[in-house]
Amino acid sequence: MAEQRIPGIDPSAVPSGEGCAECLAGQDAGWWLHLRRCAECGHIGCCDSSPSQHATRHARESGHPFLASFEPGEDWLWNAETGEYYTGPALAPPLSRPDAQPSPGPSGRVPADWQSRLH
């Protein structure tokens, strides 16, 4: 039996990189707490606890509502439009940031008082 296609989730989309695309490009605060992956296009953005919240911004601006964790050991999907968790198809690897990419990160750009800057 073929797996049912869920609109807004493309299991073949590969991650855009190893960290938040906007933070790595030096936009906004330039660092993250945790990473999220767009389940439709693979864009990697920072979580809503991070100062810049790039993953949710991407979801809203692109119309791609499903975000997956891009953290080691986490396997969940979140719909940014409905605020609900989902179970969906397996996404293309890699499924998380590499161990060398820290959380918070990226290395060398996280301020000493990072905990006071979280949402």
Side-chain angles (χ1 to χ4, degrees):
M1 182 176 199
E3 193 168 294
Q4 184 179 15
R5 167 102 166 94
I6 299 172
I9 299 177
D10 180 355
S12 67
V14 297
S16 63
E18 297 181 348
C20 175
E22 291 83 5
C23 288
L24 290 172
Q27 294 179 20
D28 303 317
W31 63 275
W32 61 79
L33 177 62
H34 295 297
L35 298 171
R36 305 295 179 240
R37 171 186 180 173
C38 176
E40 187 162 342
C41 71
H43 177 272
I44 303 298
C46 52
C47 72
D48 284 352
S49 294
S50 300
S52 301
Q53 304 171 342
H54 288 125
T56 295
R57 185 183 311 171
H58 169 80
R60 290 186 179 131
E61 291 176 357
S62 67
H64 299 167
F66 288 98
L67 300 173
S69 176
F70 201 57
E71 292 295 317
E74 295 184 1
D75 180 23
W76 50 261
L77 290 166
W78 172 258
N79 186 313
E81 289 178 353
T82 66
E84 297 174 305
Y85 285 100
Y86 283 78
T87 300
L91 301 178
L95 300 178
S96 68
R97 63 178 167 76
D99 290 338
Q101 185 67 273
S103 177
S107 185
R109 296 197 13 213
V110 180
D113 64 344
W114 66 269
Q115 291 170 316
S116 68
R117 297 176 186 226
L118 298 177
H119 287 264

